[in-house]
Amino acid sequence: MIFDTKEVTWANMKVVLLGKELTGIRAIKYKLSQEKEHLHGAGDEPIGIQRGKRTYEGEIKLLKFEYDILADAVKKAGGRDILDLSAEIVVTYVKDALSSPRTDIIQGFQFKEFEKGWEQGAKFMELTLPIIFMGLKQNA
């Protein structure tokens, strides 16, 4: 049996939003979490683990030109600013030409906030935009 320990690289990942591949993306991360706590009964040891609500959140780092494209699309659709955007994000990655691609679909995402800023000597503007979303389909 042979095990392949190669990892997928940033160069082999594609992120699509509003039908457009984001070329000005610098980072993306997304997570699913669920409330959990021990259930106690007799004695001092837990007898189970209770589960509660699930939440979905993450962040996207974009170059300003990519942010501007999204902001313009929102305004063209009648929105006030990028916080009015609601869509899906499709993340596809593949290890190499022989591997099957894997796709995650971030469903019903929205930006939570945005902040712009530059520093002296900056060659570009990078915006880190926190997101929340409604669901995650993994390896869709």
Side-chain angles (χ1 to χ4, degrees):
M1 186 179 278
I2 298 173
F3 291 96
D4 180 2
T5 58
K6 288 183 191 174
E7 285 292 322
V8 66
T9 66
W10 181 255
N12 295 333
M13 186 185 74
K14 180 169 70 168
V15 178
V16 176
L17 173 58
L18 298 177
K20 177 195 179 301
E21 182 176 351
L22 301 178
T23 58
I25 188 166
R26 304 272 293 178
I28 185 167
K29 62 181 174 179
Y30 41 99
K31 74 176 183 177
L32 159 64
S33 56
Q34 185 173 34
E35 294 174 352
K36 294 189 179 185
E37 66 181 50
H38 286 109
L39 175 63
H40 286 89
D44 60 359
E45 294 292 326
I47 59 173
I49 297 176
Q50 293 298 104
R51 293 188 272 177
K53 297 183 282 189
R54 289 175 165 237
T55 56
Y56 303 87
E57 61 188 7
E59 69 181 30
I60 298 173
K61 287 184 185 179
L62 298 174
L63 293 174
K64 185 177 180 301
F65 84 87
E66 199 75 76
Y67 167 88
D68 289 342
I69 291 169
L70 294 174
D72 290 347
V74 170
K75 285 198 173 197
K76 190 174 184 177
R80 189 171 24 175
D81 54 44
I82 202 161
L83 299 181
D84 288 338
L85 177 64
S86 183
E88 287 187 343
I89 302 172
V90 179
V91 181
T92 303
Y93 47 97
V94 62
K95 284 197 278 189
D96 53 43
L98 301 174
S99 300
S100 297
R102 299 181 69 87
T103 300
D104 291 342
I105 301 173
I106 299 168
Q107 301 172 305
F109 103 95
Q110 293 186 16
F111 292 111
K112 289 175 61 173
E113 63 185 44
F114 68 90
E115 178 179 14
K116 294 180 183 178
W118 273 302
E119 294 182 15
Q120 191 280 327
K123 312 274 185 297
F124 57 88
M125 181 191 281
E126 179 181 86
L127 291 89
T128 301
L129 304 162
I131 62 171
I132 59 173
F133 50 102
M134 299 296 291
L136 177 64
K137 284 187 183 175
Q138 296 182 70
N139 201 24

